[in-house]
Amino acid sequence: MTSTTSRDNGCRPRPGRPRRFTGRAAAAVVLSLAGALALGTAPAPPAAARPATDPLARYHDQRLHWKSCLLGPDDTTGKELEQAGAQCADVTVPLDYARPDGRTISVAISRIRGTDTTHRAGALLLNSGGPGGQTIGDPPWVRSAMKDVAARYDVVGVDPRFVGRSTPLDCHWPTGSMIRGAGTGRAAFGRMVAFSADLARRCRTHAGDLLPYATTRDTARDMDVVRAALGERRISYLGYSYGSYLGQVYATMFPGRTDRVVLDGVVAPAGYGPRLLRGTEEANRHALRDWADWTAAHAVAYGLGGTRSAVLAAVEAARSAAARTPLRVGGYRVDEHVLPVIVFNGLSQDNPKAYGDFAEAVRDLRRAAGGRTVSPSPWLASTLKFVLTGDESVYGSAQTSILCGDVPASHDPETYWRDLRRAGTRDRLFAPVTKDINPCAFWGPPRERTTTIRDDLPALLVNATGDPRTTYRSARTVHHDWPSSRLVTLRGADQHGVYGVFGSPCVDSTVNAYLATGRLPSADVSCPAP
């Protein structure tokens, strides 16, 4: 649930570039310790001790063929990995774990090996959220955030099944995200019902053979195959946003196979599912007000007004104009279903670069509302390309398939319409996004029951108080349910994804101390925003 990017409707943070959280909206990802991290269950037996009848033996014992991560001269991710000394491999996993001798797919991984073999802590697996976010390119910046402790770990990025360089799932959508605003009135909602039904139909048509296996539980099973193929008895784990939920599922399904677990931007299991954005409205309104204060202080640069109220009025003017007639922004049409998504996507990173990108976008939208010819700024152009073309269909296809495959959704459009009517007209920006219908209303039932998450995971939890994607309330809920966990709070920041992303020495040093020692802080830690 990842400055924000064009894919941040859900969960994905990453420093200094676009990030993704349930969409790629310009999304981003991101101590005195006591008590060893022990999960209370015996560690997984080594390969030699496994029963000869192990149905997954061919996967657990596979030999990985490490190779260059560079796919070609235009492969920026590959170049960054190559410069950092990473290598890549493809891990073979079964499509259906109930039929391990059947069809197989591949999961792409990258690895930067630790250099301090004397004090080796093992492998640290990463997931930066989404669902659907690519993680294979993340080891370089994560190692930078880890500072000296990085030398003790093999840092491993994993593109989950059907994501990035792994076997793809593509519904051939005309968009990169299922997320839209419901608009105003029953006719506008009817358009969203038809839009969502069409996206679901495309998935059945183009990827129906893969949909039953696009789940978090199967992704967790893949993680355990990766663990075994790397020759590790246990793995440490760093998961952002949706990746925090994946970590909870993995630790529940495979007790004893995790060592040090850091969950940043914490998803509460009870709130996870096709409508996981519900409940974030107030946090987004707060983030919008804080952005408006910053933009008002930079009125000369952006021309949106010198007060919070003036800047918010500029946003409302663009919204109301788009509700009357779609705005022309470059070659795109921005209507009442798209404009709220742009605003939502502009709010997940609390830093001047992200704030400035969003301010430029609002300036462009206001100019378009005034009838002027507009060439969109780079962030807005990227967001519109993501939302209004099929350029990143694979991202939205995988994300939606996982959400719909994990948790059942109501198939009655009236359920969503009633939610929207109860929200009323007080919030015309966020409630129409968080409460709208989506393709899961037209999906088949999940193949497996939702995972009941364990209540004894001694993890280190990290969250900002103003996180507009995975709210602070969500993190406190998980912390309450896990008495053995510790919560690191970044106070006073509207930030999604903190460790290694926001630039808090307090947060980063707390996480690194835990990764170095395996001991959780003796108490929760509170960090002020710089």
Side-chain angles (χ1 to χ4, degrees), residues 320-341:
S320 59
R324 293 190 298 270
T325 305
L327 309 180
R328 289 283 183 180
V329 181
Y332 300 103
R333 297 172 72 253
V334 178
D335 62 14
E336 62 181 328
H337 303 294
V338 172
L339 191 141
V341 177

PDB file of all heavy atoms in Angstrom, residues 320-341:
ATOM      1  N   SER A 320     -13.823  20.388  -9.415  1.00  0.00           N
ATOM      2  CA  SER A 320     -15.178  20.714  -9.850  1.00  0.00           C
ATOM      3  C   SER A 320     -15.237  20.942 -11.360  1.00  0.00           C
ATOM      4  O   SER A 320     -16.226  20.577 -12.016  1.00  0.00           O
ATOM      5  CB  SER A 320     -15.698  21.937  -9.094  1.00  0.00           C
ATOM      6  OG  SER A 320     -14.872  23.065  -9.308  1.00  0.00           O
ATOM      7  N   ALA A 321     -14.181  21.508 -11.940  1.00  0.00           N
ATOM      8  CA  ALA A 321     -14.155  21.703 -13.393  1.00  0.00           C
ATOM      9  C   ALA A 321     -14.122  20.366 -14.114  1.00  0.00           C
ATOM     10  O   ALA A 321     -14.822  20.167 -15.119  1.00  0.00           O
ATOM     11  CB  ALA A 321     -12.948  22.552 -13.787  1.00  0.00           C
ATOM     12  N   ALA A 322     -13.313  19.424 -13.611  1.00  0.00           N
ATOM     13  CA  ALA A 322     -13.236  18.098 -14.236  1.00  0.00           C
ATOM     14  C   ALA A 322     -14.555  17.350 -14.110  1.00  0.00           C
ATOM     15  O   ALA A 322     -14.893  16.523 -14.973  1.00  0.00           O
ATOM     16  CB  ALA A 322     -12.107  17.292 -13.597  1.00  0.00           C
ATOM     17  N   ALA A 323     -15.310  17.624 -13.039  1.00  0.00           N
ATOM     18  CA  ALA A 323     -16.611  16.971 -12.863  1.00  0.00           C
ATOM     19  C   ALA A 323     -17.628  17.473 -13.887  1.00  0.00           C
ATOM     20  O   ALA A 323     -18.560  16.748 -14.255  1.00  0.00           O
ATOM     21  CB  ALA A 323     -17.126  17.205 -11.445  1.00  0.00           C
ATOM     22  N   ARG A 324     -17.430  18.716 -14.358  1.00  0.00           N
ATOM     23  CA  ARG A 324     -18.340  19.254 -15.366  1.00  0.00           C
ATOM     24  C   ARG A 324     -17.945  18.809 -16.765  1.00  0.00           C
ATOM     25  O   ARG A 324     -18.791  18.333 -17.533  1.00  0.00           O
ATOM     26  CB  ARG A 324     -18.349  20.789 -15.287  1.00  0.00           C
ATOM     27  CG  ARG A 324     -18.952  21.356 -14.022  1.00  0.00           C
ATOM     28  CD  ARG A 324     -19.135  22.870 -14.135  1.00  0.00           C
ATOM     29  NE  ARG A 324     -17.867  23.570 -14.325  1.00  0.00           N
ATOM     30  CZ  ARG A 324     -17.106  24.015 -13.335  1.00  0.00           C
ATOM     31  NH1 ARG A 324     -17.469  23.817 -12.067  1.00  0.00           N
ATOM     32  NH2 ARG A 324     -15.977  24.662 -13.581  1.00  0.00           N
ATOM     33  N   THR A 325     -16.664  18.977 -17.093  1.00  0.00           N
ATOM     34  CA  THR A 325     -16.156  18.639 -18.423  1.00  0.00           C
ATOM     35  C   THR A 325     -14.728  18.150 -18.277  1.00  0.00           C
ATOM     36  O   THR A 325     -13.923  18.791 -17.594  1.00  0.00           O
ATOM     37  CB  THR A 325     -16.162  19.874 -19.348  1.00  0.00           C
ATOM     38  OG1 THR A 325     -17.466  20.426 -19.385  1.00  0.00           O
ATOM     39  CG2 THR A 325     -15.715  19.496 -20.752  1.00  0.00           C
ATOM     40  N   PRO A 326     -14.376  17.030 -18.889  1.00  0.00           N
ATOM     41  CA  PRO A 326     -12.997  16.535 -18.766  1.00  0.00           C
ATOM     42  C   PRO A 326     -11.973  17.590 -19.162  1.00  0.00           C
ATOM     43  O   PRO A 326     -12.157  18.316 -20.146  1.00  0.00           O
ATOM     44  CB  PRO A 326     -12.971  15.336 -19.718  1.00  0.00           C
ATOM     45  CG  PRO A 326     -14.389  14.855 -19.745  1.00  0.00           C
ATOM     46  CD  PRO A 326     -15.230  16.105 -19.673  1.00  0.00           C
ATOM     47  N   LEU A 327     -10.902  17.674 -18.393  1.00  0.00           N
ATOM     48  CA  LEU A 327      -9.846  18.629 -18.663  1.00  0.00           C
ATOM     49  C   LEU A 327      -8.900  18.052 -19.710  1.00  0.00           C
ATOM     50  O   LEU A 327      -8.571  16.864 -19.681  1.00  0.00           O
ATOM     51  CB  LEU A 327      -9.059  18.932 -17.384  1.00  0.00           C
ATOM     52  CG  LEU A 327      -9.865  19.315 -16.141  1.00  0.00           C
ATOM     53  CD1 LEU A 327      -8.921  19.591 -14.974  1.00  0.00           C
ATOM     54  CD2 LEU A 327     -10.756  20.523 -16.423  1.00  0.00           C
ATOM     55  N   ARG A 328      -8.438  18.911 -20.601  1.00  0.00           N
ATOM     56  CA  ARG A 328      -7.444  18.512 -21.585  1.00  0.00           C
ATOM     57  C   ARG A 328      -6.052  18.816 -21.022  1.00  0.00           C
ATOM     58  O   ARG A 328      -5.715  19.980 -20.789  1.00  0.00           O
ATOM     59  CB  ARG A 328      -7.646  19.261 -22.898  1.00  0.00           C
ATOM     60  CG  ARG A 328      -8.883  18.830 -23.671  1.00  0.00           C
ATOM     61  CD  ARG A 328      -8.631  17.516 -24.363  1.00  0.00           C
ATOM     62  NE  ARG A 328      -9.775  17.095 -25.182  1.00  0.00           N
ATOM     63  CZ  ARG A 328      -9.811  15.980 -25.893  1.00  0.00           C
ATOM     64  NH1 ARG A 328      -8.748  15.178 -25.881  1.00  0.00           N
ATOM     65  NH2 ARG A 328     -10.859  15.665 -26.600  1.00  0.00           N
ATOM     66  N   VAL A 329      -5.269  17.784 -20.805  1.00  0.00           N
ATOM     67  CA  VAL A 329      -3.919  17.949 -20.281  1.00  0.00           C
ATOM     68  C   VAL A 329      -2.986  17.205 -21.229  1.00  0.00           C
ATOM     69  O   VAL A 329      -2.905  15.972 -21.209  1.00  0.00           O
ATOM     70  CB  VAL A 329      -3.786  17.402 -18.849  1.00  0.00           C
ATOM     71  CG1 VAL A 329      -2.379  17.618 -18.321  1.00  0.00           C
ATOM     72  CG2 VAL A 329      -4.811  18.064 -17.928  1.00  0.00           C
ATOM     73  N   GLY A 330      -2.294  17.935 -22.071  1.00  0.00           N
ATOM     74  CA  GLY A 330      -1.524  17.285 -23.111  1.00  0.00           C
ATOM     75  C   GLY A 330      -2.466  16.468 -23.992  1.00  0.00           C
ATOM     76  O   GLY A 330      -3.494  16.960 -24.448  1.00  0.00           O
ATOM     77  N   GLY A 331      -2.133  15.203 -24.197  1.00  0.00           N
ATOM     78  CA  GLY A 331      -2.997  14.340 -24.997  1.00  0.00           C
ATOM     79  C   GLY A 331      -3.991  13.547 -24.177  1.00  0.00           C
ATOM     80  O   GLY A 331      -4.630  12.628 -24.695  1.00  0.00           O
ATOM     81  N   TYR A 332      -4.174  13.904 -22.891  1.00  0.00           N
ATOM     82  CA  TYR A 332      -5.039  13.133 -22.002  1.00  0.00           C
ATOM     83  C   TYR A 332      -6.301  13.912 -21.637  1.00  0.00           C
ATOM     84  O   TYR A 332      -6.313  15.147 -21.648  1.00  0.00           O
ATOM     85  CB  TYR A 332      -4.291  12.780 -20.712  1.00  0.00           C
ATOM     86  CG  TYR A 332      -3.042  11.967 -20.931  1.00  0.00           C
ATOM     87  CD1 TYR A 332      -1.776  12.576 -20.866  1.00  0.00           C
ATOM     88  CD2 TYR A 332      -3.107  10.609 -21.194  1.00  0.00           C
ATOM     89  CE1 TYR A 332      -0.622  11.836 -21.056  1.00  0.00           C
ATOM     90  CE2 TYR A 332      -1.949   9.863 -21.383  1.00  0.00           C
ATOM     91  CZ  TYR A 332      -0.715  10.478 -21.320  1.00  0.00           C
ATOM     92  OH  TYR A 332       0.423   9.748 -21.512  1.00  0.00           O
ATOM     93  N   ARG A 333      -7.350  13.168 -21.291  1.00  0.00           N
ATOM     94  CA  ARG A 333      -8.585  13.739 -20.771  1.00  0.00           C
ATOM     95  C   ARG A 333      -8.696  13.347 -19.308  1.00  0.00           C
ATOM     96  O   ARG A 333      -8.729  12.164 -18.965  1.00  0.00           O
ATOM     97  CB  ARG A 333      -9.803  13.236 -21.550  1.00  0.00           C
ATOM     98  CG  ARG A 333      -9.793  13.642 -23.021  1.00  0.00           C
ATOM     99  CD  ARG A 333     -10.912  12.965 -23.810  1.00  0.00           C
ATOM    100  NE  ARG A 333     -12.228  13.514 -23.490  1.00  0.00           N
ATOM    101  CZ  ARG A 333     -13.149  12.890 -22.763  1.00  0.00           C
ATOM    102  NH1 ARG A 333     -12.888  11.692 -22.242  1.00  0.00           N
ATOM    103  NH2 ARG A 333     -14.323  13.434 -22.541  1.00  0.00           N
ATOM    104  N   VAL A 334      -8.775  14.341 -18.432  1.00  0.00           N
ATOM    105  CA  VAL A 334      -8.836  14.107 -16.989  1.00  0.00           C
ATOM    106  C   VAL A 334     -10.254  14.419 -16.524  1.00  0.00           C
ATOM    107  O   VAL A 334     -10.665  15.582 -16.487  1.00  0.00           O
ATOM    108  CB  VAL A 334      -7.813  14.989 -16.244  1.00  0.00           C
ATOM    109  CG1 VAL A 334      -7.929  14.777 -14.739  1.00  0.00           C
ATOM    110  CG2 VAL A 334      -6.403  14.681 -16.732  1.00  0.00           C
ATOM    111  N   ASP A 335     -10.997  13.373 -16.172  1.00  0.00           N
ATOM    112  CA  ASP A 335     -12.385  13.567 -15.772  1.00  0.00           C
ATOM    113  C   ASP A 335     -12.550  13.376 -14.270  1.00  0.00           C
ATOM    114  O   ASP A 335     -11.573  13.268 -13.518  1.00  0.00           O
ATOM    115  CB  ASP A 335     -13.310  12.635 -16.563  1.00  0.00           C
ATOM    116  CG  ASP A 335     -13.020  11.157 -16.313  1.00  0.00           C
ATOM    117  OD1 ASP A 335     -12.286  10.829 -15.342  1.00  0.00           O
ATOM    118  OD2 ASP A 335     -13.528  10.311 -17.081  1.00  0.00           O
ATOM    119  N   GLU A 336     -13.797  13.317 -13.816  1.00  0.00           N
ATOM    120  CA  GLU A 336     -14.071  13.219 -12.379  1.00  0.00           C
ATOM    121  C   GLU A 336     -13.661  11.879 -11.787  1.00  0.00           C
ATOM    122  O   GLU A 336     -13.562  11.742 -10.570  1.00  0.00           O
ATOM    123  CB  GLU A 336     -15.563  13.448 -12.123  1.00  0.00           C
ATOM    124  CG  GLU A 336     -16.477  12.423 -12.769  1.00  0.00           C
ATOM    125  CD  GLU A 336     -17.941  12.716 -12.492  1.00  0.00           C
ATOM    126  OE1 GLU A 336     -18.250  13.249 -11.403  1.00  0.00           O
ATOM    127  OE2 GLU A 336     -18.788  12.415 -13.364  1.00  0.00           O
ATOM    128  N   HIS A 337     -13.396  10.890 -12.638  1.00  0.00           N
ATOM    129  CA  HIS A 337     -12.930   9.601 -12.147  1.00  0.00           C
ATOM    130  C   HIS A 337     -11.407   9.564 -11.996  1.00  0.00           C
ATOM    131  O   HIS A 337     -10.879   8.805 -11.182  1.00  0.00           O
ATOM    132  CB  HIS A 337     -13.369   8.486 -13.106  1.00  0.00           C
ATOM    133  CG  HIS A 337     -14.845   8.440 -13.318  1.00  0.00           C
ATOM    134  ND1 HIS A 337     -15.735   8.129 -12.316  1.00  0.00           N
ATOM    135  CD2 HIS A 337     -15.607   8.679 -14.428  1.00  0.00           C
ATOM    136  CE1 HIS A 337     -16.977   8.177 -12.788  1.00  0.00           C
ATOM    137  NE2 HIS A 337     -16.918   8.507 -14.078  1.00  0.00           N
ATOM    138  N   VAL A 338     -10.712  10.376 -12.765  1.00  0.00           N
ATOM    139  CA  VAL A 338      -9.254  10.353 -12.783  1.00  0.00           C
ATOM    140  C   VAL A 338      -8.637  11.407 -11.860  1.00  0.00           C
ATOM    141  O   VAL A 338      -7.640  11.141 -11.178  1.00  0.00           O
ATOM    142  CB  VAL A 338      -8.728  10.538 -14.226  1.00  0.00           C
ATOM    143  CG1 VAL A 338      -7.210  10.712 -14.260  1.00  0.00           C
ATOM    144  CG2 VAL A 338      -9.146   9.345 -15.080  1.00  0.00           C
ATOM    145  N   LEU A 339      -9.220  12.605 -11.813  1.00  0.00           N
ATOM    146  CA  LEU A 339      -8.591  13.667 -11.038  1.00  0.00           C
ATOM    147  C   LEU A 339      -8.410  13.308  -9.562  1.00  0.00           C
ATOM    148  O   LEU A 339      -7.332  13.552  -8.997  1.00  0.00           O
ATOM    149  CB  LEU A 339      -9.377  14.972 -11.180  1.00  0.00           C
ATOM    150  CG  LEU A 339      -8.627  16.186 -10.609  1.00  0.00           C
ATOM    151  CD1 LEU A 339      -8.807  17.408 -11.477  1.00  0.00           C
ATOM    152  CD2 LEU A 339      -9.069  16.482  -9.174  1.00  0.00           C
ATOM    153  N   PRO A 340      -9.390  12.695  -8.881  1.00  0.00           N
ATOM    154  CA  PRO A 340      -9.141  12.315  -7.482  1.00  0.00           C
ATOM    155  C   PRO A 340      -8.002  11.312  -7.325  1.00  0.00           C
ATOM    156  O   PRO A 340      -7.318  11.309  -6.292  1.00  0.00           O
ATOM    157  CB  PRO A 340     -10.486  11.715  -7.035  1.00  0.00           C
ATOM    158  CG  PRO A 340     -11.496  12.331  -7.943  1.00  0.00           C
ATOM    159  CD  PRO A 340     -10.800  12.452  -9.260  1.00  0.00           C
ATOM    160  N   VAL A 341      -7.773  10.473  -8.338  1.00  0.00           N
ATOM    161  CA  VAL A 341      -6.665   9.521  -8.265  1.00  0.00           C
ATOM    162  C   VAL A 341      -5.330  10.263  -8.341  1.00  0.00           C
ATOM    163  O   VAL A 341      -4.362   9.900  -7.655  1.00  0.00           O
ATOM    164  CB  VAL A 341      -6.774   8.471  -9.392  1.00  0.00           C
ATOM    165  CG1 VAL A 341      -5.586   7.526  -9.369  1.00  0.00           C
ATOM    166  CG2 VAL A 341      -8.077   7.696  -9.265  1.00  0.00           C
TER     167      VAL A 341
END
